[in-house]
Each structure stands twice: as structure tokens, then as C-alpha cells.
Amino acid sequence: MSAISITTSPPVAEPVATQPLPAQTAARPALQAADSVEARSPTLGERIAPAAGKVVRALVAMISGMGLLLAIWWAVSSRIDMFPGPVVTWHAAVELLSDPFYSNGPNDMGIGWNVLYSLGRVGVGFGLAALVGIPLGFVVGRFKFMNMATEPVIGLLRPVSPLAWLPIGLLVFQEANLAAIWVIFICSIWPMIMNTAAGVRSVPQDYLNVARVLNLSEWKIVTRILFPAVLPNILTGVRLAIGTAWLVIVAAEMLTGGVGIGFWVWDEWNNLKVEHIIIAIFIIGIVGLILEQALMLVARRFSYESR
Amino acid sequence: MTKKIVQIENVGQSFDTKKGPYVALREINLDIREGESIALIGHSGCGKSTLLNLIAGLTLPSSGVMLCDGREIAGPGPERAVVFQNHSLLPWLTCFDNVYLAVERVFGAREGKARLRERTHAALDLVGLSHAENKHPHEISGGMKQRVGIARALSMQPRILLMDEPFGALDALTRANLQDELMKILAATKATMVMVTHDVDEAVLLSDRVIMLTNGPAATIGEILEVDIERPRDRLALAHDAHFGECRAAIMEFLYNKQLKRAA
Ligand SMILES: Nc1ncnc2c1ncn2[C@@H]1O[C@H](COP(=O)(O)OP(=O)(O)OP(=O)(O)O)[C@@H](O)[C@H]1O
Ligand SMILES: [Mg+2]
């Protein structure tokens, strides 16, 4: 759908004047500038320069941000014993990542396995939360009574740190792995319920009037009207949830142990391999970034141009 | 022709607002005969959409009784199709699917998929939008959206067609074409129509009676004009028709003399 909306973005913006105006050419996307290379070669420089300038500026900004981070890291590491600097960490990372998927029994597995185990727990806990939370959100949003019934419960439970639920999970499931999944479930379910319900409540009355005139069945109302209308809200909830889940899993695994990036960090701390902890921080950050971006892509795929 | 399909008895409508209740309509009395075409005309904000929504059953009256076929109107239904003032297409469905949703609801139980698709194509063809079937609402113009809304309502073959300024966003030529099509459809199906319009010519051309509403708040029916022109009506011939001119003059007189003076 998004592809279509690009093609319809009005060509009205095309400057009518034959003289190229710098302000307008600057606003033109780089791709279009490349297309018109042959037709308007005299203005090529004017066209590419501003676009290229933008890219260069973005790159410079990014590199200086990262550079600042490295500089602070380096400054801190040179003052504190045992705190590995960027170079030491880089060599450790090359070694660590050269064989991420080795396995010498459950207590000694490669970092790749640890990340995958954590992702697995997040996936299961988060998936279950979506399975329960999204339909629940629909019910809460659609029926006033359900909203009033659940509001105080959610209001009370939502601010509780998900880790506080860990002992309950251990007690009920008698198993560390399930307890960690349970914590992920709990922390993911609130944003899903709340965003879905808010979305259902804000579906424009116009759409519901169409449903009422057609006298659609509740099933058709949900699949043809509510679900598509609420999908952007659901995806917002999903994105918030996966962000929190990825934050929480590290902490939960530190407490539960087993294979997983959280416990791996804790283990490396016990071994005093601080450079590995720093590597883990980067990996956790990168995985979180990828999760977020992937969901953004999905969200964009499903967002419709309203009106 | 004499059977009453809709009866409106002493109906009033008020809305709860932050500044207390707002009385939009009061003491509306109107019987709509089966097969009749009615135009609702009045100044902006007087309550035309409100009255149309009441007949549709989208809102229930604060006082009075509304009957359809002798039974109280308790809610909307597909036998009373609505063309909404703001077209109300579902943005995630293509034009085809927007119409198909209605066709499927009305005929899905009795007819096969192929026939349903045929009906949908026919409805879109009628409003001249076959070429835009697979476009989404945000890809077409305001007038085209309005036409999809009309196709959706017509495709349902309703007994009562309720239209809220359906031709407002169209150019004169398209509008004239659709008005002619609409008259043909109404003649063929014997459906009843209630249309809200701002256009005096349109009101006279299309309807058997023009209902003129006074200005709000607390608007009511000011005058009812019987349009005594034989059908089928031909817009070119009517331009020289004396009665047509009288009807136009009567409505103009009401709108611009009586109502504007009252409002001032
Ligand atoms: N849900 C509502 N709540 C409060 N006031 C309302 C509501 N709906 C309509 N009104 C008020 O009732 C009056 C009549 O509104 P309505 O939409 O029926 O006017 P209209 O005749 O259709 O106008 P237009 O020609 O501009 O479409 C207006 O003053 C409007 O502000
Ligand atoms: Mg209106």
C-alpha cells in the first residue's frame, strides 16, 4: 500500500518555471535527480550537490556521535583499572564473534546461542501476550462494562516492575525458563491491551455508521472495520511491548540463570571479563535496534493512507 | 403510491453539549409515501443531516415517533441505504471492495460470488468509475469518492434511498449525468428517495415534494412545496417550463427572503 501512495504523491510539486530554482531542486529526492541526468545535464551539479550534502551531513553527524562515545569510553577506561578500552574490547570481540555458535554443554555456549535463547524467550512470552492482549484489548475497547471492570486492575498492576512477578512465576511454574517467559508475558501484555483498546475507542463514528447501515455481523465488523482501523494502534502496542520485553529479559535472566544473554553478562562479571560485558551491551543494543526497525517496517507496510 | 412508508410524528431532536442541551429539531411532522422523491432544503446547520440520520435510524429521536412500514424505527438497516455527506468510504478497502461489502451483505445469502461481483461492477459502472475499481479512496478525488458512496448505496437496491448532499462535490456535467441516472433508477425500481441538497434546481428537478426547513436552533418544517411536473423529466425542456420556474421562485423566496430575514 505504501508503494501506491508514493506514486500518487502529487507531481504538482514539479516546478513549472524553466529556470531551475535552487530551493525547489534541493527539495527533490536524490533518486529523481539521478533520473533526470540526461535531460537536464547543465543543472546536474546543482541538483546532486544539495542531496549529496544532506547525506554527507548525516554521515558526519553520525560519525561524530559515535566518536564522542568512543572518546568518553576511552577516557574512562584509561583512568580505571580493569576497565577495558575500545582497542582491547575490539580484539576480544573479534575472538568472541569468530565462533559465536560453539557449544560445550549448557554452561558454556557461544554468544550467538545465548542471544538466540533470549530471543526465543522473548518470542514466546511476547507471542502469548499478543495472543491474549490484543483480543482482550478489543473487548475492553468495545464494551464499556469491560473497560470499567478492567481499568482499576490494569491501573494497579501496570506500574509494577515486571521483575516483581518473577517469584510468582517461579512458584507457579517451578521452572526458571518458564518463569522468565512469564515475566516477558506480563511486561508485554499491558501496552498491547491499552493501545488496542484506545484504538478501538477512537475508531471514527463514520466507519461504524457504515457498519450499522449495512447491519454487519459482529464478526464482519471486527474483521472488516475494527481490525483494519485499529491495526496501526496494535502495531504501536506491539512495538512498545517488544522494546520493554527486550529490556526486561536481560534483567530476568540475570536472576534465573541458564543460557541467555542476561545470565551470560552476569557470568562474565563473575569471571571479571569486563570486555565481554561491554561487547554484550553492544550486541543487546544492536538486537534491540533491529527488532524495533523490523517492526517499524511492518507498521509502515500496514498503515493505510487515511482519507 | 398512497401507502405511507415513513411516518414522522411530532419528532424533536436535542443533543447534549457542554453548554447544556441543544435543540436541533422540533415538532417535525411528515409522511413519506412509497415511491416518492423528497428533497430536504434549508440553510447550513439547520438540521437536514440530523433529520436524515433519524430516518436512517442512526440516531433515535429525543421525542416523538418515527415509523417505517408502520413499525418503530429502532436502528439502521440495509433496506434504508445512506449516502453519507462525507462519503464514509473505508480507507483500507479498494473502491470495488467498499461496494462489494454492501453487495455481499444484502445479496450474499442468495447469490454466488460471480453474481455478487457482477453487481459490484455494474454499480461502479453506473457512476462511471469502472476504471478506478482497484484504487483506494485516498487515490481518488473527492467527487469520485462521493460517486463510490452513491454506487455503494445503489448496489444495495434499497427500498428507501437516503442521500446527504450526494452531488455536492461534483462538477456540473457529472452532476447532471448522475441526476439523470438517478431519476431512471428511481423510476425503474420504484424506490423512495430522501435527498438533502443545497441546490434549488436539483431539488425541483428530482423531487415530488420539497421540504423546506426553517433556520436552527429548533428548526422545523417551514413549507412544503409540491412539484407537479410529469415524469420522465427532461432538464432541457424544464428550463422553459412555467411551473418549474414557479417552484424555483417559491424556494428562493423561502430561503432568501423569509429565512434570511428571520435569521438577521
Ligand atoms: N452530535 C451532535 N451534537 C451536538 N450538536 C449537534 C450534533 N449533530 C448536529 N448538531 C447540531 O445540530 C445542528 C444541525 O446539524 P446538521 O448536521 O443536521 O445540519 P445540516 O443542516 O446538515 O447542515 P449542513 O448543510 O451544513 O450539512 C447544528 O447546529 C449542529 O451543530
Ligand atoms: Mg448536513
Side-chain angles (χ1 to χ4, degrees):
Chain A
M1 268 179 230
S2 57
I4 298 167
S5 69
I6 289 168
T7 58
T8 54
S9 61
V12 178
E14 194 86 23
V16 186
T18 44
Q19 294 284 323
L21 304 169
Q24 278 163 326
T25 49
R28 201 176 279 265
L31 248 180
Q32 266 183 318
D35 278 347
S36 53
V37 162
E38 282 154 27
R40 309 178 206 196
S41 46
T43 63
L44 175 66
E46 288 172 52
R47 278 164 185 284
I48 285 190
K54 234 183 213 169
V55 173
V56 168
R57 219 174 40 218
L59 266 177
V60 167
M62 205 172 104
I63 289 169
S64 34
M66 282 294 176
L68 188 68
L69 181 67
L70 281 178
I72 294 173
W73 176 11
W74 177 81
V76 172
S77 69
S78 62
R79 275 170 185 71
I80 299 176
D81 271 3
M82 307 261 315
F83 198 119
V87 179
V88 178
T89 310
W90 175 256
H91 288 304
V94 169
E95 196 197 320
L96 195 68
L97 295 177
S98 63
D99 186 15
F101 288 108
Y102 73 85
S103 173
N104 301 330
N107 293 325
D108 186 14
M109 291 172 104
I111 179 119
W113 282 122
N114 281 284
V115 169
L116 285 183
Y117 269 77
S118 297
L119 276 176
R121 287 187 193 105
V122 166
V124 174
F126 173 84
L128 288 174
L131 233 51
V132 177
I134 293 171
L136 200 61
F138 267 96
V139 174
V140 168
R142 191 137 171 78
F143 304 105
K144 253 217 174 87
F145 181 83
M146 285 302 291
N147 185 31
M148 292 189 295
T150 49
E151 204 164 42
V153 179
I154 294 179
L156 179 76
L157 297 184
R158 198 175 57 97
V160 177
S161 163
L163 292 175
W165 292 94
L166 188 62
I168 308 281
L170 286 168
L171 178 77
V172 172
F173 299 111
Q174 303 282 328
E175 213 252 312
N177 196 34
L178 288 180
I181 290 173
W182 157 252
V183 168
I184 296 303
F185 173 84
I186 284 287
C187 78
S188 317
I189 200 163
W190 308 127
M192 300 217 221
I193 296 178
M194 306 228 322
N195 279 282
T196 307
V200 170
R201 274 194 293 268
S202 65
V203 171
Q205 187 61 39
D206 290 348
Y207 302 159
L208 297 175
N209 278 346
V210 171
R212 290 175 62 206
V213 168
L214 293 180
N215 213 342
L216 296 179
S217 60
E218 188 73 15
W219 170 247
K220 270 266 152 91
I221 292 178
V222 169
T223 56
R224 288 307 179 80
I225 295 183
L226 287 184
F227 190 74
V230 175
L231 197 56
N233 300 72
I234 294 179
L235 287 169
T236 306
V238 162
R239 230 169 58 219
L240 290 174
I242 202 134
T244 325
W246 188 240
L247 281 180
V248 167
I249 190 65
V250 175
E253 282 172 350
M254 282 186 180
L255 296 170
T256 59
V259 183
I261 190 70
F263 186 63
W264 192 83
V265 168
W266 196 245
D267 214 25
E268 296 307 282
W269 169 239
N270 287 332
N271 299 336
L272 280 180
K273 285 203 177 152
V274 182
E275 65 272 23
H276 281 185
I277 295 176
I278 294 173
I279 296 165
I281 287 174
F282 275 102
I283 290 176
I284 293 168
I286 290 166
V287 171
L289 203 67
I290 291 172
L291 285 178
E292 172 90 19
Q293 290 298 317
L295 279 166
M296 290 273 261
L297 264 179
V298 175
R300 220 167 297 148
R301 167 72 185 75
F302 282 106
S303 75
Y304 56 89
E305 195 97 2
S306 57
R307 277 159 286 276
Chain B
M1 278 295 258
T2 47
K3 193 185 155 219
K4 292 172 190 164
I5 191 165
V6 174
Q7 288 160 274
I8 306 172
E9 285 164 18
N10 226 354
V11 161
Q13 177 71 303
S14 56
F15 296 107
D16 288 326
T17 64
K18 285 189 198 102
K19 289 185 236 153
Y22 175 85
V23 181
L25 296 175
R26 67 178 167 90
E27 293 163 41
I28 302 278
N29 285 290
L30 180 66
D31 288 342
I32 302 173
R33 298 186 285 264
E34 180 140 39
E36 184 179 33
S37 293
I38 279 187
L40 288 177
I41 202 163
H43 287 289
S44 182
C46 70
K48 304 180 294 293
S49 299
T50 305
L51 182 54
L52 202 76
N53 285 345
L54 283 169
I55 302 173
L58 286 167
T59 45
L60 298 180
S62 319
S63 61
V65 188
M66 311 249 338
L67 304 175
C68 179
D69 272 335
R71 266 170 303 160
E72 180 139 19
I73 296 177
E79 81 285 353
R80 272 166 286 140
V82 183
V83 178
F84 294 94
Q85 187 166 8
N86 55 2
H87 61 76
S88 294
L89 300 180
L90 302 174
W92 44 85
L93 297 182
T94 59
C95 295
F96 183 90
D97 288 335
N98 264 292
V99 177
Y100 189 83
L101 187 68
V103 171
E104 191 186 30
R105 171 64 188 86
V106 178
F107 302 102
R110 283 170 280 150
E111 295 175 0
K113 280 233 160 61
R115 181 80 189 98
L116 297 181
R117 298 183 63 82
E118 227 171 83
R119 282 181 181 277
T120 310
H121 287 302
L124 282 163
D125 191 39
L126 193 70
V127 295
L129 282 182
S130 295
H131 63 281
E133 275 185 359
N134 295 318
K135 293 196 167 162
H136 284 82
H138 70 269
E139 298 172 279
I140 61 179
S141 71
M144 289 163 83
K145 280 180 225 177
Q146 198 60 283
R147 274 142 75 193
V148 179
I150 295 168
R152 176 170 65 187
L154 291 177
S155 73
M156 296 159 71
Q157 297 197 345
R159 287 187 60 206
I160 308 179
L161 187 56
L162 303 169
M163 310 176 99
D164 200 342
E165 295 185 38
F167 306 138
L170 303 178
D171 62 283
L173 200 63
T174 315
R175 174 195 295 232
N177 273 333
L178 283 176
Q179 286 169 342
D180 290 342
E181 285 302 331
L182 180 66
M183 282 194 284
K184 278 187 215 150
I185 290 167
L186 291 174
T189 59
K190 307 249 185 312
T192 311
M193 179 193 74
V194 181
M195 176 193 278
V196 172
T197 179
H198 274 136
D199 183 335
V200 176
D201 286 337
E202 179 171 88
V204 180
L205 175 69
L206 295 182
S207 53
D208 302 310
R209 282 194 292 165
V210 180
I211 313 294
M212 294 174 250
L213 293 180
T214 62
N215 287 342
T220 189
I221 297 177
E223 280 177 33
I224 298 182
L225 176 80
E226 300 267 352
V227 181
D228 228 347
I229 302 175
E230 253 173 63
R231 294 177 186 272
R233 295 175 182 172
D234 172 10
R235 67 177 63 244
L236 291 178
L238 281 182
H240 311 289
D241 186 292
H243 185 56
F244 185 86
E246 284 164 27
C247 291
R248 280 195 71 205
I251 299 174
M252 303 279 253
E253 164 77 14
F254 178 84
L255 287 178
Y256 300 109
N257 247 336
K258 299 179 193 165
Q259 286 310 308
L260 274 190
K261 270 197 193 127
R262 253 184 48 145

